C-alpha cells in the first residue's frame, strides 16, 4: 500500500514515511492510495475471528510492505490487550472503548502508533522527539502509549490549570522518556507553540522532531479494528456479556431488550461522538473494507461544523467553543480534509447523518439513562446517545437517509465516566473508578511551567533533552 497527500496525488510514499512524517510536506494529510478490501474468505469468516485476529486482518493490508506479518501479529496482541465489549443498554448497544490504560478510545490508536514507530525506527541511532499539544485526552494516551519505548522521547504541552487533575497525572505523572510542559495559556497556544517548534531552525537542527496527533495514519488505521469487530459480532447475532468493568451501577439495562435483540443479525449503524473526526473516518475505512456497517450518525456538541456541512453542503469552520464534552471541542476538524478526499458530499450525505447536542441535553441524557437502566454515560457518550434519540425521532420522515433501517444501533463509548467525574457525579452519584485510573491518580505531577512563548519552549526543550 502506498500513501499520498490529500493535496498532491503525484508522489506516493510508504506507510513508514507516512507514519513517521505525520503530515505531508505540502501540509496535506496522508491517505491510502485506495482503501483495501477484505478478501471474500476473510469477509465470510469475520464473525468467527477474535479481536486480535480481526486486528491483524484489518491492519495488515495497510502496512504489510513495511511490517512483516509475524511482527504485526505481536504488535496487535500487545497493543490491544484490553477488551472492547459491545454492551446492551436499553434499545441499543454501547461499544465500550474505554477499557485501556487511559480510559479513552485514543488508547487504541496511540498504543499501535507507539509500537509501529518503535519497529519502523529499529535501525535508527538518533533519538526521535515527539512533540504533542493536548487539551486533555490525547496527551495522556500518547504519553502512556510511548512510555518506555526505546529511542523515542515524548514531550506533551498542555494548558496549565485547564486539564482535569486526573488528566494532568496521566500526562505529567509518568516521567522516564515522557516530559510534560504546562503552558500558561490555552490549548490553542499549546498548538501554536508546537507548530512554531517544528519550523524553528535551531530546534530542528538539534532535535529530531515528530508529531503524534490524530491526523497520523498510524493512529487512524488501528481505530478501524473495533468497528470491524463490533459489526461482525452483531451481524452474527451476538453481543458481549456485560463485563464487570462496565460502568453500570444498578438495574439490569434490559428495559427494551426485545427491540434491541430483534435488530441483531443485520448491518450496524454506529453513532460516533466526534471532534476531529478521526474516529469516524476510521469507521468509514472499516465500512469500505467490507465490514457489515449500514452507516453512521455523526454526533457533535455545539461545535457543529460537520453536522451543518452534512445538512447544507457548506463547510464553515469556526473557532471552538468550550463544552462539558471537551475532547470534542473542535471547530475546524482536521480529518474533514481526509473524508472529503475519499468521498464526495453526496456520498457522505447518504452515509452519515449529523446531529449536534448542547450541554443541557447532554446532562439530561446522563441523568435519564442512569434512571432507566443504571448505565453511566460519560459526557461524550451522552452526546452520542442523545444524537441517536434525535435520529430515532426524525426517522418517521420519509426523506430520512436511513428511513427503512431496522438493524442494531451502537453508540461509541469513547471515555469512561470516571474520567469526567466532576460532570457526571452531580447527576448520578459516585462513579466507581477503574484500576488504571486509580493508579494514575496516585502519581506525582512532574512538569515544567512556561509562558506561552516560543523562545521559552525552545529553551525548555533544549535543557530537557540535552
Ligand atoms: C478525542 C475524543 C473524541 C473525539 O474523537 P475524534 O476522533 O477527534 O473525532 C471523543 N470522545 C473522547 C472521549 C475523546 O477523547
Amino acid at each position: 500500500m502506498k500513501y499520498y497527500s490529500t493535496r498532491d496525488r503525484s508522489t506516493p510514499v510508504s506507510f513508514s514515511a507516512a507514519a513517521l512524517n505525520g503530515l505531508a510536506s505540502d501540509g496535506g494529510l496522508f491517505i491510502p492510495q485506495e482503501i483495501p478490501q477484505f478478501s471474500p474468505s476473510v469477509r465470510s469468516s469475520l464473525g468467527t475471528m477474535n479481536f486480535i485476529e480481526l486486528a491483524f486482518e484489518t491492519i495488515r493490508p495497510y502496512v504489510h510492505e513495511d511490517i512483516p506479518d509475524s511482527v504485526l501479529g505481536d504488535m496487535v496482541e500487545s497493543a490491544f490487550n484490553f477488551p472492547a465489549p459491545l454492551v446492551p443498554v436499553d434499545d441499543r448497544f454501547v461499544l465500550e472503548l474505554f477499557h485501556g490504560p487511559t480510559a479513552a478510545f485514543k488508547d487504541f490508536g496511540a498504543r499501535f502508533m507507539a509500537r509501529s514507530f518503535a519497529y519502523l525506527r529499529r535501525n535508527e541511532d538518533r533519538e526521535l522527539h515527539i512533540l504533542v499539544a493536548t487539551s486533555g485526552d490525547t496527551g495522556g494516551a500518547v504519553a502512556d502509549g510511548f512510555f518506555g519505548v526505546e529511542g523515542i522521547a515524548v514531550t506533551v504541552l498542555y494548558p496549565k490549570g485547564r486539564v482535569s487533575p486526573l488528566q494532568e497525572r496521566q500526562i505529567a505523572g509518568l516521567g522516564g522518556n515522557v516530559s510534560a510542559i504546562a503552558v500558561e495559556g490555552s490549548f490553542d497556544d499549546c498548538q501554536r507553540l508546537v507548530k512554531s517548534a517544528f519550523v524553528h531552525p535551531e530546534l530542528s537542527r538539534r532535535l529530531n522532531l515528530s508529531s503524534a496527533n490524530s491526523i497520523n495514519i498510524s493512529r487512524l488505521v488501528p481505530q478501524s479494528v473495533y468497528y470491524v469487530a463490533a459489526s461482525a459480532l452483531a451481524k452474527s447475532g451476538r453481543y458481549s456479556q456485560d463485563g464487570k468493568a462496565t460502568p453500570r451501577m444498578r438495574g439490569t439495562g434490559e428495559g427494551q431488550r426485545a427491540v434491541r435483540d430483534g435488530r441483531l443479525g443485520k448491518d450496524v449503524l454506529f453513532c460516533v461522538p466526534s471532534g476531529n473526526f478521526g474516529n469516524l473516518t476510521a469507521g468509514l475505512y472499516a465500512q469500505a473494507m467490507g465490514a457489515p456497517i449500514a452507516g453512521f450518525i455523526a454526533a457533535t456538541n455545539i461545535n457543529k461544523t460537520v453536522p451543518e456541512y452534512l445538512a447544507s453542503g457548506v463547510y464553515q469552520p469556526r473557532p471552538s467553543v468550550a463544552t462539558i464534552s471537551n475532547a470534542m471541542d473542535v471547530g475546524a476538524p482536521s480529518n474533514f480534509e481526509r473524508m472529503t478526499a475519499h468521498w464526495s458530499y453526496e456520498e457522505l450525505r447518504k452515509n452519515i447523518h449529523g446531529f449536534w447536542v448542547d450541554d443541557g441535553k447532554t446532562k439530561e441524557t446522563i441523568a435519564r439513562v442512569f434512571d432507566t437502566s443504571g448505565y453511566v454515560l460519560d459526557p461524550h457518550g451522552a452526546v452520542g446517545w442523545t444524537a441517536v434519540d434525535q435520529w430515532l425521532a426524525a426517522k418517521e420522515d420519509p426523506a430520512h437517509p436511513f428511513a427503512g433501517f431496522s438493524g442494531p444501533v451502537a453508540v461509541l463509548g469513547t471515555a469512561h465516566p470516571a474520567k469526567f467525574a466532576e460532570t457526571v457525579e452531580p447527576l448520578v452519584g459516585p462513579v466507581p473508578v477503574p484500576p488504571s485510573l486509580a493508579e494514575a491518580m496516585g502519581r506525582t505531577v512532574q512538569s515544567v511551567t512556561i509562558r506561552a512563548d516560543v523562545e521559552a519552549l525552545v529553551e525548555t526543550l533544549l535543557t530537557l533533552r540535552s
Side-chain angles (χ1 to χ4, degrees):
M1 179 69 66
K2 291 281 181 272
Y3 293 80
Y4 53 65
S5 162
T6 45
R7 298 183 193 174
D8 170 16
R9 307 199 171 195
S10 65
T11 24
V13 301
S14 65
F15 172 76
S16 176
L20 294 174
N21 288 316
L23 205 63
S25 52
D26 60 8
L29 278 66
F30 286 112
I31 54 172
Q33 229 163 7
E34 61 197 26
I35 298 176
Q37 305 286 304
F38 289 127
S39 68
S41 71
V42 169
R43 212 168 150 156
S44 64
S45 47
L46 290 178
T48 61
M49 288 189 234
N50 66 28
F51 195 91
I52 297 301
E53 292 163 340
L54 289 169
F56 179 84
E57 293 296 344
T58 303
I59 300 174
R60 183 179 182 276
Y62 292 94
V63 305
H64 75 101
E65 287 161 26
D66 292 29
I67 304 178
D69 285 355
S70 61
V71 175
L72 178 64
D74 292 344
M75 252 184 218
V76 294
E77 206 169 328
S78 79
F80 309 134
N81 62 350
F82 52 90
L86 184 66
V87 174
V89 185
D90 285 352
D91 61 344
R92 63 198 74 165
F93 297 90
V94 176
L95 176 57
E96 292 183 351
L97 302 175
F98 48 69
H99 296 292
T102 72
F105 82 93
K106 291 188 174 72
D107 283 330
F108 286 91
R111 288 172 68 80
F112 183 81
M113 173 167 66
R115 284 160 178 76
S116 59
F117 271 41
Y119 177 76
L120 296 170
R121 300 191 75 260
R122 66 199 176 284
N123 297 324
E124 302 280 333
D125 295 330
R126 198 169 168 214
E127 187 177 62
L128 186 72
H129 194 131
I130 289 174
L131 202 55
V132 59
T134 186
S135 60
D137 271 356
T138 297
V142 170
D144 200 276
F146 280 100
F147 180 59
V149 174
E150 237 166 89
I152 300 180
V154 177
T155 300
V156 182
L157 274 69
Y158 65 97
K160 189 178 171 79
R162 300 197 196 183
V163 301
S164 76
L166 171 63
Q167 286 174 330
E168 185 167 32
R169 283 165 178 76
Q170 289 179 326
I171 295 163
L174 288 167
N177 63 329
V178 179
S179 313
I181 298 181
V183 175
E184 289 172 334
S186 64
F187 169 57
D188 291 337
D189 290 322
C190 297
Q191 234 168 357
R192 178 177 53 81
L193 290 186
V194 167
K195 280 191 184 143
S196 347
F198 280 109
V199 295
H200 191 279
E202 191 191 354
L203 210 55
S204 23
R205 190 166 45 77
R206 300 206 14 212
L207 299 176
N208 188 12
L209 290 176
S210 177
S211 78
N213 57 20
S214 76
I215 51 103
N216 197 298
I217 192 73
S218 70
R219 260 181 73 177
L220 192 85
V221 167
Q223 291 179 1
S224 296
V225 174
Y226 44 77
Y227 289 97
V228 174
S231 60
L233 191 69
K235 177 87 176 187
S236 62
R238 294 171 297 147
Y239 48 77
S240 309
Q241 291 310 320
D242 197 342
K244 66 173 187 304
T246 291
R248 204 193 298 270
M249 282 152 45
R250 61 175 164 76
T252 60
E254 295 298 308
Q256 299 183 58
R257 182 178 180 164
V259 178
R260 179 191 69 223
D261 292 5
R263 293 170 172 271
L264 288 165
K266 301 185 177 130
D267 289 7
V268 179
L269 181 69
F270 283 108
C271 176
V272 189
S274 295
N276 261 323
F277 280 78
N279 204 359
L280 198 134
T281 304
L284 292 169
Y285 279 26
Q287 181 190 36
M289 290 181 82
I293 298 172
F296 298 90
I297 296 172
T300 70
N301 56 32
I302 186 105
N303 295 286
K304 56 188 175 188
T305 305
V306 171
E308 279 185 348
Y309 161 78
L310 291 167
S312 69
V314 180
Y315 182 68
Q316 184 66 261
R318 300 207 172 84
S320 67
V321 178
T323 74
I324 56 169
S325 47
N326 58 25
M328 314 200 302
D329 293 349
V330 182
S334 47
N335 278 287
F336 184 78
E337 180 165 340
R338 199 172 245 146
M339 289 161 69
T340 49
H342 286 292
W343 295 283
S344 68
Y345 170 66
E346 273 310 308
E347 288 167 324
L348 292 171
R349 195 181 60 85
K350 285 194 197 120
N351 196 25
I352 311 171
H353 209 183
F355 291 95
W356 62 273
V357 179
D358 66 23
D359 281 357
K361 282 253 159 32
T362 306
K363 288 186 188 168
E364 259 173 57
T365 297
I366 295 172
R368 179 170 47 84
V369 172
F370 178 66
D371 276 346
T372 54
S373 68
Y375 191 84
V376 185
L377 290 162
D378 95 291
H380 307 81
V383 165
W385 187 285
T386 317
V388 172
D389 291 342
Q390 293 178 3
W391 172 79
L392 286 169
K395 231 180 120 200
E396 302 310 320
D397 178 353
H400 190 286
F402 305 109
F405 182 74
S406 62
V409 180
V411 181
L412 271 55
T414 50
H416 193 286
K419 241 187 142 165
F420 297 91
E422 64 288 355
T423 304
V424 174
E425 291 191 335
L427 301 166
V428 307
V431 179
V433 177
S436 64
L437 294 187
E439 187 268 315
M441 271 317 278
R443 293 180 197 148
T444 310
V445 170
Q446 314 161 44
S447 65
V448 183
T449 298
I450 64 166
R451 53 183 201 281
D453 171 294
V454 185
E455 288 313 315
L457 174 66
V458 170
E459 202 187 302
T460 309
L461 286 175
L462 292 175
T463 357
L464 278 174
R465 294 296 160 200
S466 53

